[in-house]
């Protein structure tokens, strides 16, 4: 049994097969290949696209999705093992996982980091615990990585650019009033290097470096796929020659657990906002972002409303790639999918 | 492409065609005319009837409805254009509308006024922004008007009274501890006049006048359809000769943004409660209300439990008229609907 | 028209027929016997298993379930009759029940006690009011009893033990930081005695006695079915000879409405936790609990992860018994269910 927790566990060939099925599902949305199946969607954090696209995607495949929000309509969950549960959580992930495995054919979960202790959060303890106790396939709907977003990005780049290998992608940090999750940044550098792109990480300074595990994965991917991975603090250098600019905000890991310190530091770098002037320094780059995006904070209206913004296409592709991944994990052969 | 934002955009003939389809759907609820379609339901405010009837209605037509609650499980939304989004909203309606238009075949939204500034709220900025950015049909599930409720009222009156033209309908203001939305009152005076009824608006004093745009629409409708529209502050005169009494509470627009002032003023008029004594002064009138209704505040138990109360029938008809409107907006011809 | 509010209204034979259908549905989950039907699920309190299993169960039978959460996305509800509704509730159960009866074929509700006044709560006023005003069958999803859990327990015991009559079942109180609902304890003693088991209620002292109505029902059931019902405060005596140990925490009714007093008293009895040492004193007993369960508070990890823990099986059986009960209440004959 396979899970989809991080693309680090999947080869480029495997992911490409999934993307090819996604292309077919994009042409023909309603295919009852999962008739009678049920998918549980566990949301520990807010969602619009993920929630809508998984529900709709499951339905279009003939399956049923059930949304559960622990702490909001469902009981709060404890994820650590061996805990004396005298806090606020009313039940343990071991029971949640075991029970939902009896009711459902797949469990998907979103569980953002807690922003207290990175040495703990970096182990992705929530989805790890779910996988340990589940007896059905699990899909990560964003924890410290966001693999479904990775697939959606790659489907979009293949549609817009053709073969992505050898093209230049810049991940630029941008300001946001709150210190956010690094998940999408971690994910973008891993998937783009896996597909042979030359990836630049543009950050204000070394406080904004991503966790070394993801940076190392990007370097290794680049070495394997004849791409590259580098870090720059220079905005001009970051945009120069870029074929794709991907924006994301995150809190500096050096200030993890110190929201005020993180916000004070990040405020100095509001000028990292993606605007038309910066984009003009690129190689007529596409612009994207995982959404939600605060306009005129992370990117200007001009950028968001431009022809080169593909964020909406990427959001649409969430639907198709997730359906393809559900089929793959539930053992539906690609040949059964109409094209 | 057509939207259903306000009945002011629709002719009486068009609405009557929709009601005729609703009549057929009431006889035969399950008709898979929207197989494979998806409808997004965006709720920025609470709902019981609207939420249930749209979900059930979509399902009975073979479609899937997805409920999203921005600010409660989904990200908060900014509706104004050009804003620097440094407040609490994490994303802009332009992205919400564009993404949902890729996932879904229709978007329905409930967005109550903010009760700060009527000069702003009266422009219905939320649904207007949604329509601007959506590329699929939009249905208003209550903003500053409540057009689905209007259709349900008219289906109910046609069932109970036959032809409504020439009959007398009184909209009576009633007390409620909080200053509420004027939407249903605005809607009732517009639809009843459009269908040729003689409409009286019974309010304690001129603080409770509805916005002039809706009053003017009612007067114009009345002129076109040989009905009438008048305002009275006299309870006896308001009930005399009424064939239908429709109750609704709302905050005085003159105190808009001043909840305490509004509540203090309204408290003086608790005696506007609809009771059996007042109803006995009417022409054996039907009584209705959009629900939810606080019993023994807006209307007495005696009125609510009486044979002349048709509020439950009107609530049921929400299901049928909304299904008919979904079919209409998605291009299903009336002839395809079984009778 | 029949409702499923408490098993006190149902004979053992009737319940056994439902369990036999549940057994068949467990073998063959997807059977479209309720095509085109709709079930409303009203949750006034959190839920994971109930919410998931009713939604999934309805879908597997071809029906649609609609989740409504009064006070969280839907309007708050008043349940008392004759109230002047000037509090927080925006609508009355009489309208909720009547409207949902027009939209749906069945209404299920969870409404926990208010923990203020047991003389009020013990009348189960919420579900009673719903039944009074509904014109479709009602299922209790937990109020002061939890009849669906009862059926799931009995299906589990029949699977694991064969005929339950004559076997020994101990309901042991356990500690929890908050004074919880007595519903499951009330339910277990009623159903186990109805099926002829010898039931022991193990509680720290007489503060933890259950309401006399449920104790009397258990005694009467035992007399009718040749079982027994007794109370003990002695842990060793409680476990000795037990074939099944069922754990549950609840607040002492003598401190009802006094959460601090209840918690202070209960803290003295933390040692009632179910652990492997206590279980070793039983007759190789099965262990179960309704879930959610706080690990290492109510029961140890060792017990929960043991081979004799059947709580997950019982949770799974919620799905099957509820589907069987929905079929029964909606008039689907047992012979129509594939085995």
């Amino acid at each position: 049994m396979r899970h989809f927790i991080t693309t680090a566990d999947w080869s480029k060939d495997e992911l490409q097969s999934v993307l090819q099925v996604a292309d077919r599902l994009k042409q023909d949305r309603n295919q009852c290949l999962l008739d009678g199946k049920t998918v549980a969607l566990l949301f520990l954090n807010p969602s619009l696209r993920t929630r809508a696209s998984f529900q709709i995607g499951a339905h279009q495949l003939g399956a049923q999705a059930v949304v559960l929000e622990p702490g909001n309509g469902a009981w709060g969950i404890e994820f650590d093992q061996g805990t004396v549960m005298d806090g606020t959580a009313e039940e343990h992930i071991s029971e949640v996982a075991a029970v939902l495995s009896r009711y459902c054919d797949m469990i998907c979960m979103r569980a953002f980091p807690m922003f207290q202790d990175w040495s703990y959060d970096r182990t992705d303890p929530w989805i790890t615990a779910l996988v340990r106790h589940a007896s059905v396939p699990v899909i990560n709907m964003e924890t410290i990585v966001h693999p479904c977003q990775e697939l959606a990005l790659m489907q979009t780049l293949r549609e817009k650019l053709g073969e992505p290998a050898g093209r230049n992608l810049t991940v630029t940090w941008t300001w946001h009033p709150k210190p956010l999750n690094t998940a999408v940044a971690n994910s973008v550098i891993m998937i783009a290097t896996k597909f042979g792109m030359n990836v630049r990480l543009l950050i204000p300074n070394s406080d904004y470096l991503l966790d070394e595990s993801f940076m190392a994965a990007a370097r290794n991917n680049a070495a394997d796929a004849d791409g590259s991975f580098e870090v720059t603090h220079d905005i001009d250098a970051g945009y120069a020659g870029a074929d794709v600019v991907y924006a994301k905000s995150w809190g500096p890991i050096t200030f993890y657990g110190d929201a005020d310190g993180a916000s004070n530091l990040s405020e100095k770098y509001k000028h990292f906002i993606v605007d038309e002037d910066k984009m003009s320094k690129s190689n007529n780059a596409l612009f994207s972002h995982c959404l939600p995006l605060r306009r005129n904070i992370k990117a200007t209206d001009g950028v968001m409303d431009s022809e080169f913004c593909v964020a909406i296409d990427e959001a649409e592709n969430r639907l198709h790639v997730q359906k393809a991944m559900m089929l793959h994990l539930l053992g539906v052969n690609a040949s059964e999918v109409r094209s």
Side-chain angles (χ1 to χ4, degrees), chain A:
Chain A
M1 187 177 62
R2 201 78 184 276
H3 305 290
F4 188 53
I5 306 307
T6 166
T7 56
D9 302 335
W10 293 65
S11 73
K12 181 185 166 189
D13 281 354
E14 288 174 318
L15 296 175
Q16 264 179 325
S17 302
V18 173
L19 291 176
Q20 281 156 8
V21 170
D23 291 340
R24 288 197 231 159
L25 292 166
K26 190 168 186 171
Q27 298 308 315
D28 193 349
R29 291 191 179 195
N30 292 304
Q31 304 197 37
C32 285
L33 296 159
L34 299 180
D35 246 340
K37 303 285 188 191
T38 304
V39 179
L41 306 179
L42 275 175
F43 284 101
L44 281 75
N45 309 93
S47 165
L48 181 119
R49 273 152 294 279
T50 301
R51 187 175 175 135
S53 58
F54 266 104
Q55 280 190 81
I56 295 167
H59 187 78
Q60 290 175 342
L61 295 173
Q64 181 196 25
V66 175
V67 174
L68 297 166
E69 297 181 275
N72 179 21
W75 308 103
I77 299 176
E78 170 68 44
F79 288 87
D80 290 338
Q81 290 195 280
T83 314
V84 176
M85 291 174 56
D86 56 3
T88 56
E90 289 289 347
E91 70 180 315
H92 196 273
I93 188 66
S94 57
E95 275 71 60
V96 172
V99 171
L100 293 179
S101 295
R102 297 285 183 94
Y103 292 160
C104 303
D105 300 283
M106 176 176 284
I107 305 173
C108 308
M109 184 169 76
R110 164 166 289 191
F112 288 177
M114 307 299 284
F115 297 103
Q116 298 297 318
D117 175 4
W118 180 245
S119 70
Y120 176 77
D121 289 357
R122 74 191 294 277
T123 65
D124 214 344
W126 317 282
I127 200 102
T128 303
L130 172 57
V131 166
R132 184 186 306 127
H133 297 292
S135 54
V136 296
V138 171
I139 291 183
N140 183 343
M141 300 197 296
E142 190 177 351
T143 57
I144 58 167
V145 288
H146 197 350
C148 295
Q149 195 73 44
E150 297 179 44
L151 291 182
L153 169 61
M154 293 323 295
Q155 190 181 20
T156 308
L157 295 186
R158 289 160 75 250
E159 289 168 349
K160 302 292 179 182
L161 296 178
E163 171 56 45
R167 307 299 289 264
N168 303 321
L169 180 145
T170 294
V171 177
T172 177
W173 179 91
T174 58
W175 180 65
H176 183 286
K178 287 181 281 189
L180 301 183
N181 195 355
T182 57
V184 172
N186 298 333
S187 277
V188 173
I189 65 169
M190 288 200 295
I191 196 72
T193 50
K194 182 166 292 213
F195 276 74
M197 300 184 81
N198 301 308
V199 176
R200 250 175 270 156
L201 182 65
L202 169 58
I203 53 178
N205 65 41
S206 58
D207 287 299
Y208 295 89
L209 284 171
L210 298 171
D211 186 82
E212 179 54 23
S213 61
F214 303 111
M215 307 264 286
R219 274 185 231 109
N220 291 338
N221 286 346
D224 288 348
D226 285 328
S228 62
F229 177 70
E230 60 182 43
V231 176
T232 180
H233 305 322
D234 183 280
I235 292 177
D236 283 354
Y239 278 79
D243 298 305
V244 182
V245 173
Y246 204 93
K248 183 71 188 75
S249 187
W250 63 89
I253 290 182
T254 50
F255 283 79
Y256 207 83
D258 173 9
D260 288 345
S263 291
N264 288 340
L265 181 66
S266 293
E267 281 215 343
K268 298 181 191 167
Y269 304 110
K270 289 185 179 179
H271 59 282
F272 273 72
I273 185 172
V274 182
D275 56 25
E276 288 165 288
D277 181 55
K278 292 191 189 74
M279 288 299 294
S280 73
K281 295 170 183 169
S282 72
N283 183 29
N284 290 314
L286 300 174
F287 170 77
S288 199
H289 184 280
C290 59
L291 304 180
L293 176 142
R294 288 175 177 240
R295 284 178 166 240
N296 303 313
I297 294 285
K298 289 175 170 178
T300 61
D301 283 333
V303 168
M304 289 304 292
D305 295 332
S306 69
E307 299 252 318
F308 54 80
C309 175
V310 298
I312 303 300
D313 302 288
E314 183 176 327
E316 178 191 328
N317 286 337
R318 291 286 306 277
L319 178 66
H320 312 304
V321 299
Q322 291 162 186
K323 288 165 70 176
M325 182 52 76
M326 286 193 272
L327 292 178
H328 185 90
L329 295 180
L330 290 172
V332 175
N333 201 293
S335 62
E336 300 176 52
V337 182
R338 283 194 307 269
S339 57

